[in-house]
């Protein structure tokens, strides 16, 4: 009996040491990129239609699309462990590559002038180490682009049967016009343990010089979904607003698009889950409005995001509009569409907007 007790104690001590060592590794490996980080702007090959880049000017109409590609994992039969589902990785490498390529083909077919992508993995356990930025580049030839990293996690052994692993991901912004400068801004996040499973949140600002001396400022954002308290959500929006308001005060045109992780529609939904907070429209800075308000009702009837707590079921799955645009008052919205792809390739569907700079 004494030997059994001693062995039990040894096993417990070994497990405690392993767990302690692992926790020390996770916290030591965790880091955040510095704020106000200048991003490298690249040109993805040539395009004979825009040899020197699209020239942006007032009174012309342009299209912009935002799409959260969900690291290529969220097919209709996929559920995510952080939402109460089963899976942590995509089904397999072929499925991930096929989904990203299908979304790239959608963007290429629509052929917008500007594209904002979120949850783009460049090296991740969950996506079988596919470089999804490179995959997207195959479909967006001729665009200028920048990439803002917002996730580079240590290896996470959770959930135990399919650990989420180590993942590096971010936001990609594409423009047919030359991006003159780009910057990554860090968003406030939780200081608790939840910071290890939520993204290292950020937004990017891509500025495009215009012939009239002003700038078109394209903001690409993905705010917190997990571990986001009311205080964190408010702090993230306030940080974003400060930069947007400053750009507008300088006379620039501002378009902010992405996954806001808030319900962007005016009417609150009944029985909405905790993560689908209504967007606090009353906090928008002076000179800004929600672009969705200019849309025809039938154009935004389809919601842009589905719950991933279970495989998608058209009859029962909860859906909400989390994706869209905020624009400054000198940006006129001509057309606005929540595109309906039935969540075939991601738990999000894209949003397309046409705008004119006044």
């Amino acid at each position: 009996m004494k030997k059994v007790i001693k062995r039990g104690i040894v096993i417990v001590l070994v497990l405690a040491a392993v767990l302690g060592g692992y926790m020390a590794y996770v916290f030591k490996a965790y880091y955040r990129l510095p704020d106000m980080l200048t991003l490298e702007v690249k040109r993805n090959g040539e395009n004979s239609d825009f040899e020197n880049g699209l020239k942006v000017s007032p009174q012309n109409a342009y299209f912009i699309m935002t799409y959260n590609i969900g690291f290529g994992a969220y097919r209709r039969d996929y559920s995510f462990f952080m939402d109460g589902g089963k899976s942590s990785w995509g089904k397999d490498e072929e499925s991930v590559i096929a989904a990203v390529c299908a979304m790239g083909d959608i963007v290429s077919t629509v052929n917008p002038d500007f594209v904002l992508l979120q949850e783009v993995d460049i090296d991740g356990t969950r996506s079988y180490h596919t470089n999804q930025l490179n995959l997207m580049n195959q479909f967006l030839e001729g665009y200028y682009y920048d990439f803002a990293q917002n996730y580079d996690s240590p290896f996470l052994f959770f959930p135990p049967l399919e650990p989420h692993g180590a993942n590096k991901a971010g936001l990609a912004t594409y423009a047919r016009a030359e991006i003159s400068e780009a910057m990554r801004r860090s968003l406030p996040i939780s200081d608790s343990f939840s910071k290890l499973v939520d993204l290292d949140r950020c937004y990017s600002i891509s500025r495009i010089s215009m012939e009239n001396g002003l700038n078109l400022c394209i903001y690409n954002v993905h705010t917190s979904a997990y571990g986001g308290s009311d205080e964190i959500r408010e702090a993230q929006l306030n940080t974003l607003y400060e930069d947007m308001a400053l750009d507008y005060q300088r006379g620039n045109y501002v378009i902010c698009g992405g996954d806001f992780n808030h319900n962007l529609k005016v009417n609150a939904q009944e029985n909405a889950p905790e993560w689908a907070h209504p967007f606090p429209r009353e906090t928008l800075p002076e000179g800004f409005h929600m672009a969705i308000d200019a849309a025809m009702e039938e154009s935004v009837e389809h919601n842009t995001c589905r719950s991933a707590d279970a495989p998608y079921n058209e009859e029962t799955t909860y859906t909400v509009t989390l994706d869209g645009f905020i624009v400054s008052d000198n940006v006129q919205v001509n057309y606005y569409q929540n595109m309906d792809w039935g969540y075939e390739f991601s738990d999000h569907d894209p949003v397309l907007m046409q705008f004119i700079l006044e």
Side-chain angles (χ1 to χ4, degrees):
M1 181 61 70
K2 289 182 178 180
K3 289 182 179 180
V4 171
I5 293 174
K6 287 181 179 179
R7 288 174 181 172
I9 292 173
V10 170
I11 291 172
V12 170
L13 291 175
V14 169
L15 292 176
V18 170
L19 179 61
Y22 171 68
M23 294 304 297
Y25 150 73
V26 167
F27 281 97
K28 185 176 181 180
Y30 177 82
Y31 73 98
R32 294 200 71 187
L33 289 172
D35 193 12
M36 296 186 177
L37 184 66
T38 299
L39 300 176
E40 182 181 6
V41 177
K42 298 180 179 180
R43 181 77 182 272
N44 181 32
E46 298 298 327
N47 188 314
S48 58
D49 293 334
F50 301 98
E51 184 176 352
N52 297 311
L54 176 70
K55 301 301 181 184
V56 178
S57 59
Q59 303 307 315
N60 289 331
Y62 305 99
F63 279 98
I64 185 169
M65 174 188 281
T66 182
Y67 203 167
N68 182 332
I69 69 169
F71 61 93
Y74 291 81
R75 309 306 291 266
R76 285 184 171 184
D77 59 353
Y78 185 82
S79 63
F80 189 52
F81 78 104
M82 287 292 292
D83 294 326
K86 296 181 178 181
S87 299
S88 176
W89 307 341
K91 181 179 179 180
D92 51 45
E93 183 177 5
E94 291 74 17
S95 173
V96 168
I97 292 174
V100 174
C101 289
M103 289 182 280
D105 188 55
I106 289 172
V107 177
S108 177
T109 300
V110 175
N111 196 29
D113 301 294
F114 307 94
V115 184
L116 311 180
L117 303 177
Q118 303 85 41
E119 290 197 45
V120 182
D121 274 14
I122 56 175
D123 185 15
T125 305
R126 63 187 186 180
S127 53
Y128 304 91
H129 304 283
T130 57
N131 188 319
Q132 298 172 1
L133 184 64
N134 287 348
L135 286 176
M136 276 293 174
N137 282 348
Q138 296 179 25
F139 297 89
L140 295 169
E141 187 175 359
Y143 285 80
Y144 294 86
Y145 70 97
D146 57 66
F147 180 80
Q149 177 187 306
N150 70 340
Y151 195 43
D152 186 10
S153 74
F155 196 97
L156 300 178
F157 280 104
F158 186 81
L161 298 180
E162 191 178 80
H164 203 51
N167 301 284
K168 184 181 291 187
L171 317 173
T173 300
Y174 291 86
R176 290 200 180 278
E178 182 176 2
I179 300 172
S180 54
E181 61 175 315
M183 176 183 294
R184 178 196 184 275
R185 290 298 318 272
S186 297
L187 283 169
I189 62 170
S190 172
D191 292 327
S192 69
F193 184 79
S194 64
K195 68 183 181 182
L196 300 175
V197 293
D198 197 12
L199 302 181
D200 181 11
R201 299 290 175 173
C202 72
Y203 58 92
S204 65
I205 310 172
S206 304
R207 292 191 170 89
I208 296 160
S209 299
M210 300 171 56
E211 294 178 349
N212 61 4
L214 299 176
N215 290 311
L216 170 58
C217 305
I218 304 289
Y219 285 64
N220 189 349
V221 66
H222 189 186
T223 59
S224 284
Y226 308 108
S229 64
D230 291 341
E231 292 76 14
I232 294 297
R233 279 187 282 269
E234 181 180 356
Q236 289 187 350
L237 289 178
N238 286 340
T239 301
L240 180 66
Y241 290 162
E242 288 177 8
D243 276 341
M244 292 168 57
L246 185 58
D247 269 323
Y248 181 57
Q249 290 164 13
R250 291 169 175 163
N252 295 321
Y253 306 91
V254 180
I255 298 176
C256 177
D259 178 359
F260 291 91
N261 272 310
H262 287 79
N263 181 3
L264 302 187
K265 292 186 176 179
V266 174
N267 298 326
Q269 296 171 301
E270 295 183 1
N271 303 317
E274 189 274 337
W275 51 268
H277 289 263
F279 189 92
R281 290 162 173 261
E282 68 280 0
T283 67
L284 284 171
E286 185 177 357
F288 287 87
H289 60 279
M290 305 297 296
I292 193 173
D293 293 346
M296 299 179 66
E297 185 175 350
E298 59 268 26
S299 296
V300 293
E301 183 177 358
H302 176 71
N303 284 318
T304 67
C305 179
R306 71 163 177 97
S307 173
D309 60 346
Y312 177 62
N313 183 307
E314 187 175 354
E315 301 297 326
T316 61
T317 299
Y318 174 79
T319 65
V320 63
T321 291
L322 304 182
D323 311 83
F325 299 94
I326 300 171
V327 298
S328 53
D329 287 348
N330 54 2
V331 177
Q332 175 185 326
V333 178
N334 274 5
Y335 173 83
Y336 195 99
Q337 179 75 52
N338 288 354
M339 303 183 74
D340 186 356
W341 285 93
Y343 316 107
E344 180 70 30
F345 309 111
S346 172
D347 58 330
H348 292 253
D349 273 341
V351 180
L352 182 67
M353 179 178 78
Q354 186 190 56
F355 64 92
I356 289 178
L357 306 180
E358 296 182 345

